[in-house]
Amino acid sequence: MRRSAYLLLLLFLIMAVETALSQTNLPAIDSCIVLRTLANGRSRMQPDGSLVASLSRGNTTEFYRVSGGECRRFSVVPVTAVAVAFNNTASKAYILHSKTWKGLLLTAIDLKAGKITATTTVPGKANSVSVSAEDSILAIASGPVIKTYDPETLRHQKVFWEATKQQQVVFNPVTQGQLASVAPANTIQVRDLVNDKLVMEIRAHMAPIVWLQFDPTGKKLASYDSHGRLLVWNLETQQLLMELDEPQSVPSFSNNGRIYWDNGFRRREVDLNDNDSVTLKPGDGDVALLKKASFKRVQIYPQPIIAYTPETGFLAGAAANIMINPKKPRKDPRNYLPSSIAPTVTYGFGGKQLNTGLMAEIFTGDGWQFNAKINYNINERNFFFGVGENAHRSNREAYTNDAFSFYGTILKQITHPVKAGLQYNFRHNTPADFEDGISSDPVFRGGWLGGLGPAIQLDFRDDIVYPSKGSLLDANIIWYSSRTGSNYSYSDLMLNYRKYFPLRFGRSQKVLALQAMVEATWNGQPPFYQLPYLGSDRIMRGVFRNLYIYPQVAMAQAEYRSTIIPNDNRYGYVLFAGAGDGATDFFKNYQSDIKFVYGAGYRHQLLPKMRVDMRIDAAFTSKGDFGIFAGAGVAF
């Protein structure tokens, strides 16, 4: 800390002396001398070409003003800059410099007064810096993230986690929040920071890109690589306006729409609106300008699985999340939802069981929603503890069987928040095989189970993957009978309500999520594996799946969700608590035995931009239970 303070003090003193001298005895320098140094990417120019920062002279960074074909040095700072950016009024410069074990220093300099206005420490991998059109956002690229800061105070604002490493960040001077950067394989990416999404990709350069710049109108984007190849793109028409291998230095845009550079002998200017400029259509040669929707309609995210459940012990396997974006914008933008298909294969070492599954959630443009989950488990291992008040962990008996299940919903949108349709559940279990043989009790005999019934959904959430506000009500009733091929006859009612509240304190994104759930069976005897339960993935996370099973259950829980690092969605944590109970019939001779649960969990973002989190939760109950549960996505 002391070293940084001395360095900044020395920097300020030298700047003050240089600023005073700049008005007297520093000579004018021909602009081409400085501009030639830009060819190696070691200098930066203000968008209109009026200011130049040279990063290539020993252990100093020099600032020049360009006017009338001359470049006059007006300040020198005693640091080797990694990157420099100017604000749009040319009154401030931002320097990335002086790497230490803590990272790099980001320093803001008032060019008119010749003094430092703010400084902060940023990640050591930071490689470029840029300021937005309205001078409201300062962005740096650092590995696979783009971080934003307040240009006045340099206080950290937000983190944008990208899928690949980023460099050469530059803001559009007109469109608010639009930023271009260079990704691996010399790919240019144009993104919208306001809505946190990728807008466009450009793939054309074979050599590393050393310069990237928007024109003053914000409609054109120019790129220049280390082999001297210059490309200029029209982002509105998605056309390549110009391709030249002639430039010997990095170009710049003039205020009249021309692009110019020094070719070693004289200044060269090209009018991009001239009919003589080179025009190519997307797809010509090795050039490609692609919108996000066209090259990322189908996205596949493989995912290894390592988990633990009390029943199976350690699980290992693999899954994939296949996201399918709609072909085109839909009449109602609220229906613009990606469909997903997720196959899964796992092996449980504790019970030598093989589990295979396929989960699908399909949305159509006219408001249909198809949810389905298919599972086939071989040698599935579970425990039986008893039912209802007769259950106790000391009664634990292990059993195995094979199970096939196919269940889900078919919904049609009636109005924006209201969907209605059909709920279905079909499954087949072989008889439960206990350690002492197959039981003669009818609830263990297995067989076919089939049921259908109406379903309704009221969805007011702001997002289906990671909701932060709004509510969701799912309600359905299923009747099982011989008419649907079932060996069991009974009725099952499910009510599931969730409410989300965004919390407005601090800098991290915080959400308070509430859930209330009731499931009741009556008018018959369901098999024990189909009874409502409290454990496992419901309120008592990680507790044995069959420890608390009843003909009827009711539960409520709350979860506080937050990020560990302010405004960085990659790492998060949750705190949760809840209560639940069960009964043979809540309306007849009910005696309360409420189970309380509390715990905490860690979240790690798996899919950038989509808030699909890996989660690990540890839960404790008032009955002395402890469980660990792992999964993907929000708990509810």
Side-chain angles (χ1 to χ4, degrees):
M1 183 68 185
R2 181 178 299 175
R3 179 176 176 271
S4 298
Y6 287 149
L7 179 63
L8 291 172
L9 178 61
L10 177 63
L11 187 152
F12 172 77
L13 292 175
I14 295 179
M15 281 180 57
V17 173
E18 289 288 349
T19 301
L21 291 175
S22 66
Q23 306 300 324
T24 56
N25 59 359
L26 286 180
I29 303 174
D30 185 273
S31 62
C32 68
I33 296 178
V34 176
L35 291 177
R36 281 179 194 165
T37 68
L38 297 179
N40 61 12
R42 292 294 301 156
S43 292
R44 294 295 179 268
M45 183 178 291
Q46 207 259 355
D48 65 1
S50 62
L51 292 176
V52 174
S54 175
L55 288 61
S56 58
R57 295 181 174 238
N59 295 321
T60 63
T61 299
E62 301 178 348
F63 291 91
Y64 296 84
R65 283 194 173 91
V66 180
S67 179
E70 294 182 337
C71 193
R72 183 177 293 274
R73 189 176 67 181
F74 69 90
S75 186
V76 178
V77 293
V79 296
T80 302
V82 173
V84 174
F86 300 99
N87 69 347
N88 289 279
T89 60
S91 61
K92 276 190 175 182
Y94 301 89
I95 309 178
L96 284 172
H97 64 96
S98 306
K99 187 173 183 178
T100 67
W101 65 272
K102 291 182 179 180
L104 284 165
L105 290 180
L106 172 61
T107 299
I109 299 174
D110 186 328
L111 295 176
K112 295 181 179 178
K115 65 178 183 180
I116 298 170
T117 60
T119 190
T120 190
T121 301
V122 300
K125 294 182 180 180
N127 57 67
S128 54
V129 58
S130 183
V131 187
S132 64
E134 64 283 358
D135 290 340
S136 62
I137 304 173
L138 184 144
I140 67 167
S142 176
V145 301
I146 294 174
K147 291 193 171 188
T148 61
Y149 298 81
D150 183 328
E152 291 297 323
T153 64
L154 298 188
R155 183 179 179 181
H156 175 239
Q157 291 178 328
K158 196 170 183 180
V159 175
F160 298 88
W161 186 25
E162 309 302 336
T164 57
K165 293 181 179 180
Q166 303 291 313
Q167 57 184 348
Q168 302 289 346
V169 293
V170 57
F171 274 103
N172 188 309
V174 175
T175 305
Q176 183 179 6
Q178 189 177 88
L179 177 141
S181 61
V182 177
N186 306 314
T187 300
I188 299 170
Q189 295 183 334
V190 181
R191 54 181 34 85
D192 176 4
L193 292 187
V194 175
N195 297 301
D196 193 11
K197 66 180 182 180
L198 186 64
V199 176
M200 192 175 295
E201 280 196 349
I202 301 171
R203 301 170 184 173
H205 286 277
M206 301 299 293
I209 299 170
V210 298
W211 177 82
L212 193 65
Q213 189 65 59
F214 286 95
D215 81 320
T217 68
K219 298 178 181 179
K220 301 180 182 69
L221 181 65
S223 53
Y224 179 73
D225 63 32
S226 60
H227 288 178
R229 188 184 186 204
L230 172 64
L231 302 176
V232 182
W233 305 87
N234 186 319
L235 300 184
E236 289 188 329
T237 63
Q238 301 175 45
Q239 286 186 310
L240 178 62
L241 296 179
M242 185 173 72
E243 178 185 13
L244 287 176
D245 292 320
E246 172 191 335
Q248 297 182 18
S249 64
V250 171
S252 184
F253 284 105
S254 63
N255 290 328
N256 61 5
R258 290 173 173 263
I259 190 167
Y260 63 91
W261 63 90
D262 172 62
N263 65 1
F265 302 99
R266 59 186 177 83
R267 173 167 159 156
R268 173 79 187 277
E269 290 190 13
V270 174
D271 187 347
L272 295 175
N273 298 316
D274 194 334
N275 293 330
D276 293 334
S277 34
V278 180
T279 302
L280 298 177
K281 294 181 180 179
D284 286 3
D286 60 350
V287 176
L289 177 60
L290 306 173
K291 284 189 173 180
K292 182 183 179 184
S294 64
F295 68 86
K296 285 192 175 181
R297 181 166 182 257
V298 178
Q299 299 164 278
I300 302 176
Y301 301 93
Q303 176 187 346
I305 296 176
I306 300 177
Y308 174 85
T309 70
E311 294 85 355
T312 63
F314 283 100
L315 286 168
N321 198 325
I322 304 170
M323 307 298 295
I324 306 172
N325 293 304
K327 288 184 178 180
K328 57 184 179 180
R330 292 172 174 168
K331 295 178 181 179
D332 186 344
R334 292 168 297 195
N335 290 333
Y336 193 87
L337 299 172
S339 299
S340 65
I341 300 173
T344 305
V345 177
T346 62
Y347 180 80
F349 293 91
K352 298 181 180 179
Q353 70 171 9
L354 178 65
N355 298 340
T356 60
L358 180 69
M359 184 171 61
E361 190 171 31
I362 308 298
F363 298 91
T364 68
D366 51 359
W368 284 95
Q369 177 180 340
F370 301 90
N371 299 332
K373 189 170 185 179
I374 304 173
N375 287 97
Y376 182 53
N377 300 333
I378 301 174
N379 200 34
E380 183 176 20
R381 184 172 185 262
N382 284 290
F383 294 109
F384 180 71
F385 300 88
V387 177
E389 295 79 6
N390 299 320
H392 195 274
R393 61 177 61 84
S394 63
N395 299 331
R396 187 175 77 177
E397 294 182 83
Y399 71 90
T400 58
N401 66 345
D402 297 342
F404 167 80
S405 62
F406 174 47
Y407 61 94
T409 56
I410 301 174
L411 299 172
K412 177 68 170 70
Q413 188 171 38
I414 309 303
T415 65
H416 164 52
V418 180
K419 292 182 179 180
L422 178 71
Q423 182 89 18
Y424 59 89
N425 183 18
F426 297 93
R427 67 179 295 162
H428 180 271
N429 285 60
T430 60
D433 188 0
F434 289 87
E435 294 177 351
D436 55 355
I438 296 176
S439 173
S440 60
D441 192 318
V443 299
F444 301 116
R445 72 175 186 265
W448 283 99
L449 182 73
L452 297 169
I456 188 170
Q457 182 182 88
L458 278 69
D459 191 351
F460 296 91
R461 296 172 298 174
D462 62 336
D463 186 79
I464 63 172
V465 177
Y466 189 89
S468 61
K469 64 180 178 180
S471 62
L472 173 68
L473 173 64
D474 280 311
N476 63 75
I477 183 171
I478 301 179
W479 292 288
Y480 298 90
S481 70
S482 58
R483 295 179 181 178
T484 53
S486 179
N487 300 132
Y488 301 85
S489 297
Y490 68 98
S491 302
D492 189 314
L493 170 69
M494 169 82 78
L495 298 174
N496 189 355
Y497 178 74
R498 298 168 232 181
K499 179 69 176 177
Y500 307 92
F501 300 92
L503 303 179
R504 303 296 185 185
F505 61 90
R507 290 187 290 160
S508 298
Q509 182 183 17
K510 302 174 180 66
V511 177
L512 176 64
L514 305 177
Q515 181 186 32
M517 183 176 176
V518 174
E519 184 177 4
T521 62
W522 76 97
N523 195 29
Q525 177 61 56
F528 78 97
Y529 50 79
Q530 199 64 28
L531 285 170
Y533 62 96
L534 296 177
S536 188
D537 59 330
R538 291 190 175 177
I539 185 173
M540 295 187 176
R541 308 174 193 183
V543 176
F544 290 108
R545 160 67 172 80
N546 292 332
L547 180 55
Y548 301 113
I549 58 176
Y550 301 84
Q552 299 178 5
V553 297
M555 65 195 80
Q557 64 177 327
E559 184 173 274
Y560 171 79
R561 301 167 181 168
S562 181
T563 56
I564 296 174
I565 302 173
N567 292 316
D568 188 343
N569 295 334
R570 291 175 294 171
Y571 316 105
Y573 70 94
V574 302
L575 304 173
F576 58 88
D581 200 5
T584 302
D585 189 335
F586 278 113
F587 299 100
K588 292 181 181 180
N589 303 319
Y590 166 62
Q591 294 182 347
S592 66
D593 185 21
I594 299 175
K595 292 85 177 167
F596 296 95
V597 63
Y598 60 92
Y602 170 73
R603 302 292 183 264
H604 185 88
Q605 185 174 333
L606 291 175
L607 306 183
K609 306 300 183 190
M610 298 191 67
R611 291 308 309 268
V612 176
D613 293 339
M614 176 200 71
R615 55 189 177 94
I616 301 176
D617 294 322
F620 300 84
T621 78
S622 59
K623 296 293 185 178
D625 305 303
F626 169 73
I628 296 177
F629 188 82
V634 294
F636 59 89

